[in-house]
Amino acid sequence: MMQPVIDRRQLLQRCACVAFGGMAWARYSDAGAQAAPPEMTAREAAPGCWYVEGLSALGSPANANFISNAGFIVTSAGVVVVDALGSPALAERLLAEIRKVTPQKVTHVIVTHYHADHVYGLQVFEQAGAKIIAHQAGREYLHADTARLRLQASRDELAPWIDDKTRLVAATEWIDSRRELALGDTQLVLQPVGPAHTPEDLAVYLPGRKVLYAGDLVFRSRIPFVGQADSRNWIVSLDKLLAFDTSVIIPGHGPVSTEARKDMQLTRDYLIYLRKTMGAAARDMTPFDEAYKATDWSQYEHLPLFGPANRMNAYNTYLLMEHDPE
């Protein structure tokens, strides 16, 4: 694929994700006529492994961009957070939920990928003294105009939750390969699985508890946001995740899963179907509108966010398959 096409696709993906994707919470709770944001409640998915579940919705001022999941793992040597949610105010609330569970400090934050709904809360954890770990492919995004433009747009689209004090935060440590992290009585495996949903995808696996924090490689009970993702490698990455001995999956979006293969299959089958149908249309030079109308979407159209997401996913896959037909 020619480099200008790659750049354009990456730009579109990063700019679309937020739509589909020291600030105290009290500051925002009185924000004029702002609707009350959704409740946040930490739930334990397995011993010591907690999560909060975002809404199956588009990011908006009404939900404070609480549209993704985040997790935290309580160890004997501190708390490890997985993703930081979509605004500083949400990160403050996540910290409050952690304090209800344990007095331990947050020592690390692991970033599964640098989409806005997962990272706009990072500055709260940085200010709290946590070490931030992410895949080094995320560094390129942080230094690109795309990140700056996305944040600028979010200040308008997601005000007052995102404002001129909201900033992008780089990792304290960038990794480029599998990393094992031992904290007290707990071992974590940080496994790169991109490029798939993003170039910097990172999964977190706890072998002692058979728990997998899968990031946005897994969307459960809803249409995934595909955007300009490398869908072919995303399918391969899901196969890699299935190789883990997993009892519980905390996905990037949607409810916790106790049936790993079944629930990964929805994302996997959807990606395969997009590539099959849009790939055939691209090879036959069928105009996109005609191809989309002729495609049978009945097995997916009942899922949340089908309306906002599916046509965009199909169109971007059509463009991808024009340049990468394999």
Side-chain angles (χ1 to χ4, degrees):
M1 188 182 302
M2 299 300 290
Q3 188 63 37
V5 173
I6 295 175
D7 290 344
R8 174 173 173 269
R9 289 176 49 236
Q10 290 176 343
L11 176 65
L12 287 171
Q13 179 183 12
R14 297 293 190 173
C15 289
C17 68
V18 76
F20 194 96
M23 300 183 193
W25 166 245
R27 175 184 171 192
Y28 294 105
S29 60
D30 299 322
Q34 176 70 36
E39 293 183 2
M40 180 187 296
T41 303
R43 297 180 175 88
E44 193 172 22
C49 297
W50 296 76
Y51 72 101
V52 297
E53 182 181 336
L55 297 179
S56 186
L58 306 181
S60 71
N63 60 36
N65 207 26
F66 187 26
I67 60 171
S68 63
N69 299 345
F72 62 95
I73 301 146
V74 180
T75 82
S76 62
V79 178
V80 179
V81 170
V82 181
D83 287 338
L85 297 175
S87 66
L90 290 175
E92 293 281 3
R93 294 177 67 193
L94 177 57
L95 267 178
E97 289 298 306
I98 293 171
R99 290 174 184 138
K100 293 177 185 178
V101 173
T102 177
Q104 296 259 39
K105 291 184 178 180
V106 175
T107 59
H108 296 75
V109 178
I110 301 169
V111 178
T112 64
H113 63 296
Y114 264 91
H115 275 175
D117 54 323
H118 295 261
V119 300
Y120 278 175
L122 275 176
Q123 65 193 64
V124 171
F125 293 102
E126 180 187 52
Q127 291 162 0
K131 180 178 182 179
I132 300 167
I133 302 176
H135 190 277
Q136 68 172 4
R139 183 166 15 192
E140 181 177 351
Y141 167 63
L142 283 181
H143 290 91
D145 285 343
T146 312
R148 176 182 58 81
L149 293 171
R150 180 64 268 165
L151 180 56
Q152 181 179 316
S154 295
R155 288 170 177 152
D156 293 328
E157 297 165 4
L158 297 172
W161 313 105
I162 305 299
D163 63 13
D164 59 359
K165 293 184 180 179
T166 309
R167 56 187 174 82
L168 293 165
V169 176
T172 313
E173 179 181 359
W174 299 99
I175 64 174
D176 61 1
S177 59
R178 177 188 170 103
R179 164 86 183 276
E180 294 190 6
L181 180 65
L183 287 174
D185 60 355
T186 304
Q187 181 186 22
L188 297 87
V189 176
L190 282 54
Q191 179 65 56
V193 284
H197 181 68
T198 67
E200 68 271 15
D201 289 314
L202 194 64
V204 180
Y205 177 62
L206 285 78
R209 306 181 197 182
K210 297 186 178 181
V211 172
L212 176 68
Y213 290 86
D216 277 10
L217 262 68
V218 178
F219 285 68
R220 187 168 181 236
S221 301
R222 56 162 282 188
I223 288 291
F225 169 69
V226 179
Q228 316 302 320
D230 184 341
S231 53
R232 178 173 57 184
N233 201 52
W234 191 341
I235 293 165
V236 173
S237 295
L238 285 171
D239 290 336
K240 291 179 182 177
L241 291 184
L242 284 168
F244 284 118
D245 182 11
T246 301
S247 298
V248 177
I249 297 175
I250 292 94
H253 297 263
V256 162
S257 167
T258 56
E259 298 179 279
R261 182 167 296 277
K262 176 183 175 181
D263 288 320
M264 284 190 199
Q265 202 69 32
L266 170 64
T267 302
R268 190 178 186 278
D269 288 351
Y270 178 71
L271 295 172
I272 291 172
Y273 191 69
L274 282 178
R275 291 182 64 87
K276 176 183 176 182
T277 56
M278 296 301 103
R283 286 192 301 273
D284 295 342
M285 301 183 68
T286 305
F288 171 75
D289 287 340
E290 179 181 334
Y292 187 84
K293 186 177 180 179
T295 300
D296 179 7
W297 300 109
S298 58
Q299 60 186 318
Y300 301 109
E301 61 190 3
H302 66 286
L303 293 171
L305 294 181
F306 177 86
N310 190 68
R311 187 179 180 88
M312 177 174 62
N313 288 343
Y315 180 64
N316 289 328
T317 302
Y318 181 91
L319 295 178
L320 172 70
M321 300 301 287
E322 282 186 320
H323 298 280
D324 185 18
E326 295 300 324

